[in-house]
Amino acid sequence: MYRIEFSGCLTTLLIFFIILFLVKELWWLIVGIAIVLIVLYYARLIYKTFLLKGANDQETYKPKMGEVYKVCPYCNTKVKVTAVTCPVCKHALN
């Protein structure tokens, strides 16, 4: 019986051509994965932006015209009259 033995260089070339064939045939898969990664990156940025915007809206208080408010003696931030602690510097207001 005949036995076929491959040298290291030939094996490497065969593996390289198999990978090249798969990449050529599955290019849409590679492009799809790249698009998904890009969308996930920007979705995470948008989510963090909205999350931080909501947190900043809670911390900053803008009194309406004629509304009574307190001023924090530590950081000079306008605070609701009913607030017990300053939302910015976390000091007690009493």
Side-chain angles (χ1 to χ4, degrees):
M1 289 204 202
Y2 293 102
R3 193 169 159 174
I4 301 174
E5 293 183 17
F6 294 107
S7 67
C9 183
L10 184 58
T11 307
T12 305
L13 283 175
L14 285 174
I15 292 172
F16 175 73
F17 284 124
I18 290 172
I19 291 172
L20 185 64
F21 174 76
L22 289 176
V23 168
K24 181 180 177 237
E25 294 297 320
L26 299 176
W27 65 270
W28 53 269
L29 182 64
I30 295 169
V31 170
I33 291 172
I35 290 172
V36 168
L37 290 175
I38 291 169
V39 167
L40 286 176
Y41 173 75
Y42 284 109
R44 187 177 312 128
L45 284 179
I46 291 170
Y47 175 73
K48 285 183 180 179
T49 301
F50 282 119
L51 187 68
L52 291 176
K53 183 179 181 232
N56 288 341
D57 288 345
Q58 291 175 356
E59 288 182 4
T60 57
Y61 171 69
K62 296 176 183 171
K64 296 177 183 170
M65 186 77 124
E67 187 177 359
V68 180
Y69 58 89
K70 291 183 192 177
V71 176
C72 176
Y74 300 100
C75 65
N76 294 327
T77 304
K78 296 176 184 175
V79 183
K80 289 183 180 179
V81 176
T82 58
V84 179
T85 59
C86 177
V88 177
C89 65
K90 309 293 185 217
H91 282 94
L93 296 174
N94 294 339

